[in-house]
Amino acid sequence: MTMAASVSQTTPTHFLPPSNAKARVSQFMQQLQDEICQGLQQLDGGGRFQEDSWKRPEGGGGRSRIMRDGTVFEQAGVNFSEVWGDHLPTSILAQRPEAEGHRFYATGTSMVLHPHNPYVPTVHLNYRYFEAGPVWWFGGGADLTPYYPFAEDAAHFHSTFKQACDAHHPEYYAVFKRWCDEYFYLKHRQETRGVGGLFFDYQDGQGQLYRGTHPAGPAAVHSNQVGALAPRTWEQLFAFVNDCGSAFLPAYGPIVERRQSMNYGDRQRNFQLYRRGRYVEFNLVYDRGTIFGLQTNGRTESILMSLPPLVRWEYSYTPEPNTPEAELYETFLKPQDWASAAS
Amino acid sequence: MTMAASVSQTTPTHFLPPSNAKARVSQFMQQLQDEICQGLQQLDGGGRFQEDSWKRPEGGGGRSRIMRDGTVFEQAGVNFSEVWGDHLPTSILAQRPEAEGHRFYATGTSMVLHPHNPYVPTVHLNYRYFEAGPVWWFGGGADLTPYYPFAEDAAHFHSTFKQACDAHHPEYYAVFKRWCDEYFYLKHRQETRGVGGLFFDYQDGQGQLYRGTHPAGPAAVHSNQVGALAPRTWEQLFAFVNDCGSAFLPAYGPIVERRQSMNYGDRQRNFQLYRRGRYVEFNLVYDRGTIFGLQTNGRTESILMSLPPLVRWEYSYTPEPNTPEAELYETFLKPQDWASAAS
């Protein structure tokens, strides 16, 4: 704690956020929600989002948008929220002790899509920004969870985000891709949630690559083999998050277009419902955003909008050898270098 | 920690467990599993349990029994397990610091039943025993989760367990019933899981009524208005747990018999699937047994056998006023004095 405090006390001024940082990020997060909802409605071709605006008694509020029983999407939830309060929950203070004793501000947009067709992957996106006393940081990412996977889709998703990363820092993609594999890991299943994507947290420009807490995952991230990043200003990080946000529709849209008309039957639907159980397990047992929301007395219905509309659990299920279901487990639920597969 | 350590160092010999305690409790837990499975097969009238025996690499193992697609039970899981290892997980050590630095032994039987018919309630039972260095304790209970509730059923369930409690201590029922309301509470929904039953933990005979951690629940338990219990020996507590175990079939069986032939349609089935989501939320977000299992590298399939075979989530669902669904929320998901309602 002493070390952390001394770091923040000697923060050079170019690491400080601009005075209108909160307003700018909040506006960006709302625009991101708008753009994504518009893009998804177009992609769906039938479903429409409905919005609920809500206020949080302790400070702040948000707007939750949900599409149900669309043409493509069985359920699509896109949330914007902006909250503040006296202190961050202890789970975050443990990571950012400099925020202790300070009020906090947090804003973010998050999204989970559950398509009807088991050949169309589920996808998640979240970007967020925090300020608390002497510290601020960006976090977020996007990750893809196929049921019946295609290497081509995983490669397209990854290389789209790699392009966005490469424009900002040559090491971002390698580091944030690994972080994603590590973060979206179900330890009790020894599986990744899907084929990954990007994930980062605690990006405050001071060159720390990694301040995660998850015990599993690639050793390289823990041991800093990837090296520290060159310092980044608030403006540079904000521009990076903007570009990540804009990369989502180009990363996901073409996959939907390729897969949405594929024929499927009970077998594929049952497997999809079963695999959706993993999504529930991840979000309720491990997910930092879900836990933050529940701990800060967030709006439960908005937080749990990520949960699938219909889910199955089946005791001791294992896929038959040499089936597409087995291929998911054997090849796609283990970290792979998908971006290179594209080129 | 100093105080706790001094308590255990001065433990009078009559608080110590007999030398064959582990073997006796292990045998009891297996018998309980046998009796319950036999009783449930009789009650179901068609379904049969299938057993998987398993070993835990770090020490111990268990036998998991599951009935699927029975006449009454869509899924019934009954687990016995017995595990040991170098140290308890930190979540338990925080409650029992005397166990720090000691090897542990834990055995228990747990059960969750998911009936087909929405008029038949879901029910959970778990009894467990721990030893770790200078400390040992019993824990457990049983609780009822109706979808379309009947006061008569809640009263029968509670008064059956009250009888078992009253034979051992005049205050057990009042304390453990309240503890159950508190423990099986979904803070983020501001609902109890169902109509409750009994719950107790850390029963080591030294008269401590309550060592729970859940922040919600009746203030009376926290403030010890119910008073400390008179000391109990290991034998007395073991006899109590035996009687609680035996009370389960008489508490639940008559409810099944009364409700299993009631007609239901899509409306009732959909509501049941929706309410099953709360069971998932509780078990993955709050349940001590689930978290202990996942933290100690338990057998995931056995731990998550409690999750329902089919579940629905629905954004922002609220029941229509003056319906049976609304009655569940308004009357049954709030702590009530069910045992008195019976008399």
Side-chain angles (χ1 to χ4, degrees), chain B residues 75-287:
Chain B
Q75 181 173 300
V78 191
N79 264 313
F80 160 77
S81 71
E82 183 178 36
V83 303
W84 49 85
D86 287 343
H87 51 84
L88 286 165
T90 48
S91 61
I92 295 183
L93 287 173
Q95 293 294 312
R96 286 275 141 164
E98 311 93 314
E100 185 84 52
H102 292 283
R103 291 179 59 77
F104 77 95
Y105 170 88
T107 185
T109 284
S110 64
M111 178 207 78
V112 174
L113 309 182
H114 293 290
H116 289 290
N117 191 318
Y119 289 101
V120 181
T122 279
V123 67
H124 160 254
L125 164 149
N126 167 249
Y127 295 100
R128 56 202 184 217
Y129 174 69
F130 282 80
E131 285 191 15
V135 288
W136 57 268
W137 67 91
F138 289 96
D143 70 292
L144 193 73
T145 307
Y147 302 94
Y148 287 89
F150 297 87
E152 180 192 359
D153 296 349
H156 171 77
F157 190 80
H158 273 270
S159 52
T160 307
F161 282 108
K162 182 175 187 301
Q163 253 186 310
C165 286
D166 288 351
H168 291 268
H169 194 297
E171 294 200 274
Y172 270 169
Y173 174 74
V175 176
F176 297 156
K177 186 269 182 202
R178 277 178 126 143
W179 199 339
C180 187
D181 287 336
E182 170 168 359
Y183 180 78
F184 293 103
Y185 182 73
L186 287 91
K187 191 167 166 270
H188 65 285
R189 299 287 192 180
Q190 299 185 283
E191 291 169 10
T192 58
R193 177 159 90 169
V195 298
L198 295 185
F199 182 79
F200 53 91
D201 209 351
Y202 301 109
Q203 293 302 302
D204 57 7
Q206 298 194 43
Q208 285 142 338
L209 279 177
Y210 183 70
R211 296 193 61 161
T213 53
H214 202 291
V221 176
H222 283 297
S223 58
N224 284 328
Q225 283 175 22
V226 283
L229 294 171
R232 280 291 181 273
T233 63
W234 187 95
E235 295 292 352
Q236 287 174 312
L237 284 170
F238 184 45
F240 168 61
V241 171
N242 265 270
D243 285 354
C244 284
S246 304
F248 169 70
L249 287 169
Y252 184 64
I255 298 171
V256 174
E257 281 160 2
R258 276 203 287 268
R259 309 298 167 204
Q260 64 181 336
S261 304
M262 288 182 69
N263 288 326
Y264 67 93
D266 284 349
R267 169 180 169 160
Q268 289 79 19
R269 176 67 173 168
N270 279 334
F271 185 63
Q272 178 200 48
L273 297 187
Y274 173 77
R275 291 294 313 171
R276 282 179 176 175
R278 300 293 208 271
Y279 225 80
V280 176
E281 291 174 23
F282 184 84
N283 283 3
L284 296 184
V285 176
Y286 301 111
D287 186 60

